[in-house]
Amino acid sequence: NAGVTQTPKFQVLKTGQSMTLQCAQDMNHEYMSWYRQDPGMGLRLIHYSVGAGITDQGEVPNGYNVSRSTTEDFPLRLLSAAPSQTSVYFCASRVAGYNEQFFGPGTRLTVL
Amino acid sequence: DAKTTQPPSMDCAEGRAANLPCNHSTISGNEYVYWYRQIHSQGPQYIIHGLKNNETNEMASLIITEDRKSSTLILPHATLRDTAVYYCIVRPPNDYKLSFGAGTTVTVRA
């Protein structure tokens, strides 16, 4: 069991560029989420999914898109990167109705 | 979701118990108390959760007051590897999100 995996670990973008952060889990979890964490702060929810084909917005969804075509994968797309999106991004998953959420190791993104 | 209040930081001696307080005075009847921790640069890690009763697992114990307005996470024998930010979170069951505040930065000293 690899758990929750994220790629890349580090990324530097220029303002206006687009990219996709990858997230995958091999635990057959229904629920998947994306969070961002700015320096010295807690995590904030960007988007989440309760199953394949179902996504919804979290607290800070602007500038990000998601899709969930399979149970395993939940990519996060930055449409046009801005310096304000410099952050650490965490993907998480859990079983529906269960309480423990598993987090990936994070992707550290810098937008210049 | 009910809000939580935690001290910003605390120190603990290695081998001693670490008692981490959390206030959640506006908690509702169906909201659980969760604890997660985040070791530097890593993703958060689940520790324990509870509703009314005290809970214990291999990592920690959770003590919830009778009125449920506060709780204490106890790390029974702190080690240097327990140095981390500890988050106390309250939410209803089956809610999709976790609302992380600033947490308590715990430093275990040798």
Side-chain angles (χ1 to χ4, degrees):
Chain A
N1 247 349
V4 180
T5 59
Q6 294 184 237
T7 56
K9 292 185 178 179
F10 301 93
Q11 183 70 50
V12 179
L13 293 177
K14 295 181 179 178
T15 297
Q17 287 184 314
S18 63
M19 79 159 295
T20 299
L21 308 185
Q22 301 293 343
C23 174
Q25 51 90 10
D26 60 358
M27 298 174 283
N28 203 32
H29 286 174
E30 295 92 336
Y31 285 22
M32 296 186 75
S33 307
W34 275 103
Y35 293 82
R36 61 176 287 176
Q37 185 174 33
D38 298 331
M41 298 182 65
L43 280 71
R44 291 184 292 170
L45 182 67
I46 304 172
H47 285 286
Y48 67 99
S49 169
V50 299
I54 305 170
T55 64
D56 207 343
Q57 297 180 351
E59 304 170 65
V60 288
N62 292 340
Y64 307 95
N65 274 353
V66 292
S67 60
R68 185 97 179 269
S69 56
T70 67
T71 299
E72 295 78 18
D73 300 300
F74 191 43
L76 178 72
R77 282 182 289 277
L78 279 71
L79 308 174
S80 177
S84 61
Q85 294 178 304
T86 293
S87 191
V88 181
Y89 291 83
F90 291 101
C91 180
S93 74
R94 69 177 175 91
V95 175
Y98 193 69
N99 297 296
E100 179 179 357
Q101 189 153 216
F102 295 84
F103 285 83
T107 293
R108 284 146 185 81
L109 176 68
T110 301
V111 182
L112 302 176
Chain B
D1 293 352
K3 294 200 181 298
T4 62
T5 302
Q6 299 177 252
S9 65
M10 61 182 296
D11 285 358
C12 176
E14 187 179 22
R16 304 296 295 270
N19 297 312
L20 284 64
C22 179
N23 286 325
H24 31 79
S25 58
T26 60
I27 192 169
S28 300
N30 67 342
E31 288 185 315
Y32 283 70
V33 179
Y34 295 82
W35 284 83
Y36 281 75
R37 73 179 184 183
Q38 188 174 24
I39 297 171
H40 181 62
S41 299
Q42 298 181 19
Q45 176 190 22
Y46 167 84
I47 301 173
I48 199 168
H49 75 278
L51 182 62
K52 297 181 181 178
N53 299 323
N54 297 337
E55 302 288 345
T56 295
N57 63 19
E58 65 278 4
M59 290 183 66
S61 295
L62 174 61
I63 309 298
I64 303 175
T65 58
E66 191 170 346
D67 63 8
R68 303 210 321 124
K69 293 184 177 182
S70 65
S71 60
T72 300
L73 179 74
I74 301 173
L75 308 178
H77 305 287
T79 70
L80 298 179
R81 288 178 293 182
D82 291 323
T83 292
V85 179
Y86 287 76
Y87 297 98
C88 171
I89 301 164
V90 297
R91 69 171 171 87
N94 299 322
D95 195 355
Y96 59 86
K97 70 175 184 180
L98 296 172
S99 295
F100 287 80
T104 296
T105 299
V106 174
T107 303
V108 181
R109 303 191 186 277

